[in-house]
Structure formats: C-alpha cells, structure tokens
C-alpha cells in the first residue's frame, strides 16, 4: 500500500519533464460511449435489458501544460426493456441533449501518456416514452443539472492527434425534474404528474470499462 502514494508523488514530480502540451493550446475532440446489460430469470423466463449510447463533442483550451477547460455538447439515447416471461413487454426509451463546462487535470505517467481527471458540470433536457406491448402508456419531459468527476487516460501522438478514454466514474451529484403524462389504451391522457429527485453516486461507481467512453481529438496551436 505504501507504493501507491509514492507513485502519485512521483507522477507529480515528473510533470515538467513529460509535459508535451502548452498553455493556450486548443483541443477539438469527440467521444462515444456505450453501456449495455441484461438479466434473465431462468425460472420465469423474465428478462430485463438496457442500453445507453451517445456522443460528446467538445472544444478545449489549455490553461497550463497539465490543465485544460472545455465546453461540451452531448447527445444520449437510453432504452430499457422488460419482459415478464408471459408475453407482456414494457419498453422505455429516452433521448437527451446536454451542455456542460469542464476542467481536466492531467498527471503524466510516461512521455505523452497521462492519467486524466475530468470534472464537469452542466444541464440536460430529455424526452422519454414508455410502451406496453407497443402501445404508448406514458411520456415524459425532463430537465436535469449536475456535476460529475471521472478517471481516464490520455495519449498524445508525436503529431497533433490525441486519444482519450474515460474509464471509471468517481462520483456524480444531480437534480432531476420530470413531467409525466399517462395514457389509456385509446391514447387519451388519464393522469399528469411531476417528480423531483436529487441523487448522488460516490466512490468508484461501476466496474472498470462498465462506464467506458473513448474518443479522439486534434490539437491546434
């Protein structure tokens, strides 16, 4: 265990010798992410599956050789499907767009290879639909705001290309407001409601590569 603090201290001390970026450098980048999972009950044949995928586009400017600030536009598509094993299938889908500001700290591990810690804060709006056996049963409009931190890796080529990956979520705090409409089988609104929720996820949320996003960027000087 004593080796871990020594590795962190050593990484900080070698910042000057390994740093390749320069103050006022600009970085244009894009990232894609994909999370997928499923579960099946072998006794009832009930199935639950989920998918989340999206893209992030960002423009960044270095404030020093190991720190840069970013503005980011994102799109996320999420779907969850539940099959009770008796022919009743419920499916939820949601489209979400967001805008955020972030700051990333880099700690050199080797020449042109960095440990990255992105911290971002922003908001998003979404629209979702729930269907039971292909019949619309509910729809929602949501607004959320939050802040998050993650752990990743970044590699700079000898030219201007930069490859990056966010591997583990360190924590997330968010507030969500949703308006929900429920429908009968004829498509008429039978109920309307509003929900408010605050959520926090701390520690190493998810296993490595479960929250993986990968991307590529181009450095402007």
């Amino acid at each position: 265990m004593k080796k871990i603090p020594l590795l962190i201290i050593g990484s900080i001390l070698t910042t000057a010798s390994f740093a390749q970026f320069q103050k006022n450098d600009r970085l244009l980048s894009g990232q894609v992410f994909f999370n997928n999972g499923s579960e099946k009950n072998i006794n009832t044949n009930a199935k639950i599956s989920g998918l989340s995928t999206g893209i992030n586009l960002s423009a960044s400017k270095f404030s020093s050789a190991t720190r840069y600030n970013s503005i980011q536009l994102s799109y996320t598509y999420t779907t969850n499907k539940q099959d009770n094993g008796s022919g009743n299938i419920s499916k939820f889908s949601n489209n979400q767009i967001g805008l955020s500001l972030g700051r990333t700290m880099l700690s050199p591990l080797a020449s042109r290879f960095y440990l990255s810690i992105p911290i971002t804060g922003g908001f998003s709006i979404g629209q979702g639909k729930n269907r039971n056996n292909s019949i619309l049963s509910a729809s929602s409009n949501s607004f959320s705001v939050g802040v998050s931190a993650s752990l990743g890796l970044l590699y700079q080529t000898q030219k201007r290309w930069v490859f990056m990956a966010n591997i583990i979520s360190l924590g997330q705090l968010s507030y969500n407001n949703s308006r929900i409409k429920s429908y009968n089988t004829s498509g008429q609104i039978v109920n309307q409601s509003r929900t408010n929720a605050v959520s926090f996820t701390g520690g190493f949320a998810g296993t490595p590569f479960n929250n993986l996003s990968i991307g590529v960027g181009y450095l402007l000087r």
Side-chain angles (χ1 to χ4, degrees):
M1 295 296 294
K2 294 182 179 180
K3 292 183 178 181
I4 296 177
L6 293 176
L7 288 173
I8 297 175
I9 294 173
S11 176
I12 296 174
L13 292 177
T14 55
T15 295
S17 60
F18 284 138
Q20 302 291 332
F21 298 110
Q22 302 173 15
K23 182 179 180 180
N24 294 325
D25 280 355
R26 290 173 171 81
L27 180 66
L28 301 178
S29 60
Q31 286 185 303
V32 294
F33 58 90
F34 179 86
N35 296 321
N36 187 33
S38 62
E39 181 180 338
K40 181 178 180 180
N41 187 315
I42 59 175
N43 296 318
T44 63
N45 287 323
K47 300 177 184 178
I48 300 175
S49 60
L51 167 68
S52 179
T53 185
I55 184 171
N56 301 324
L57 301 175
S58 64
S60 310
K61 183 178 180 179
F62 280 80
S63 58
S64 71
T66 56
R67 286 175 172 80
Y68 62 84
N69 302 311
S70 306
I71 182 170
Q72 179 176 280
L73 179 66
S74 63
Y75 167 76
T76 305
Y77 173 75
T78 303
T79 180
N80 292 288
K81 183 178 179 181
Q82 297 185 27
D83 184 344
N84 67 359
S86 300
N88 185 30
I89 299 175
S90 175
K91 184 178 180 180
F92 171 78
S93 61
N94 185 72
N95 292 279
Q96 183 173 294
I97 59 173
L99 182 67
S100 61
L101 299 176
R103 183 170 178 83
T104 299
M105 296 170 285
L106 302 176
S107 181
L109 300 174
S111 180
R112 302 182 182 276
F113 190 58
Y114 303 81
L115 178 71
S116 64
I117 304 177
I119 300 174
T120 60
F123 72 92
S124 63
I125 56 175
Q127 187 175 63
K129 293 183 178 181
N130 197 91
R131 298 179 183 274
N132 288 325
N133 295 323
S134 300
I135 300 175
L136 181 66
S137 60
S139 64
S140 64
N141 291 290
S142 62
F143 170 81
S144 63
V145 59
V147 60
S148 64
S150 58
L151 189 68
L153 298 172
L154 184 147
Y155 176 74
Q156 180 191 9
T157 67
Q158 292 185 352
K159 296 185 179 180
R160 299 195 179 193
W161 292 103
V162 177
F163 297 94
M164 57 195 71
N166 286 343
I167 300 174
I168 301 174
S169 174
L170 298 178
Q172 181 174 354
L173 175 65
S174 62
Y175 163 78
N176 182 270
N177 175 279
S178 299
R179 292 183 178 182
I180 303 171
K181 296 179 182 180
S182 299
Y183 304 88
N184 59 22
T185 55
S186 299
Q188 299 174 320
I189 298 175
V190 294
N191 186 46
Q192 297 188 58
S193 62
R194 177 181 290 183
T195 63
N196 294 281
V198 176
S199 62
F200 174 73
T201 303
F204 291 88
T207 56
F209 305 109
N210 189 42
N211 297 298
L212 177 66
S213 66
I214 57 174
V216 62
Y218 187 76
L219 197 62
L220 302 176
R221 287 177 171 166

